[in-house]
Amino acid sequence: GKKSAAWSSSDDGLTWTHLADLPVRAGELHSVEAADGSLLVHVRDKRETPRGVVQDTLQTHSTDGGRTWSKPRWVAAGYPSHLLRLRDGTLLATYGSRTPPLGIRAKASRDHGTSWSEEFFLTTDAPNWDLGYPSTVERPDGQLVTIWYEAPADDRHAQLRQARWELP
């Protein structure tokens, strides 16, 4: 019974207006406004395959302020995605990969999310599948910093890791 939906507030969150239900499942969504004004939403999704359940990231977008949304399409074999618009308008998606090589991956879009680059790796050294939920910021000098959680091989307590990097 859960739904993903777009809501709008014009009074700093005191009241809200429902704009539309999104054509994706509810859960682990992240959104960003692209430089052209379109809205992108990435959602963690799953699908059945002959090898078992595969976790993916799907994308839907709106070009009318959230009133209508596109049919979802596949973006990445990882989840959940964190979206960031860089100062130059490039969109960046960072996400965890719980299939080998285990670690944090990313893709970039220079056309407002219409297409995405080949994925590239921030890390590939995770000791097991228990990792993810990255978040990325752009520093004033243009470098990127991504943090995520990761469980060590010999401990049930997760730790935070970070990477400072630049787009390839």
Side-chain angles (χ1 to χ4, degrees):
K2 295 179 182 177
K3 292 182 180 179
S4 295
W7 293 75
S8 175
S9 175
S10 58
D11 57 10
D12 294 325
L14 295 175
T15 60
W16 292 88
T17 302
H18 178 264
L19 298 176
D21 289 337
L22 277 66
V24 295
R25 73 180 198 89
E28 297 184 351
L29 302 153
H30 200 262
S31 62
V32 69
E33 182 177 3
D36 68 353
S38 61
L39 302 173
L40 276 76
V41 172
H42 280 189
V43 62
R44 176 180 177 169
D45 198 45
K46 59 184 175 180
R47 60 189 162 94
E48 298 286 337
T49 71
R51 292 181 165 168
V53 176
V54 175
Q55 299 280 343
D56 290 320
T57 293
L58 300 182
Q59 174 180 296
T60 183
H61 73 274
S62 174
T63 57
D64 61 4
R67 288 170 190 78
T68 60
W69 293 86
S70 68
K71 178 180 174 183
R73 66 180 177 90
W74 181 89
V75 175
Y79 59 85
S81 178
H82 176 264
L83 291 166
L84 175 67
R85 185 175 85 196
L86 304 178
R87 284 191 299 275
D88 70 0
T90 300
L91 295 178
L92 179 67
T94 51
Y95 49 92
S97 173
R98 293 181 177 179
T99 57
L102 305 172
I104 302 300
R105 302 178 188 189
K107 288 186 174 188
S109 174
R110 290 186 166 82
D111 58 8
H112 317 295
T114 300
S115 64
W116 291 89
S117 70
E118 293 294 319
E119 75 180 0
F120 49 94
F121 301 93
L122 275 62
T123 66
T124 59
D125 62 352
N128 61 58
W129 62 267
D130 194 2
L131 61 87
Y133 298 87
S135 183
T136 303
V137 296
E138 183 178 18
R139 293 170 28 123
D141 64 5
Q143 286 193 323
L144 302 163
V145 176
T146 301
I147 61 168
W148 66 95
Y149 96 88
E150 188 173 296
D154 58 352
D155 193 343
R156 65 180 179 87
H157 299 290
Q159 61 188 6
L160 289 178
R161 288 191 62 192
Q162 75 169 6
R164 193 166 80 184
W165 57 286
E166 295 177 359
L167 278 175

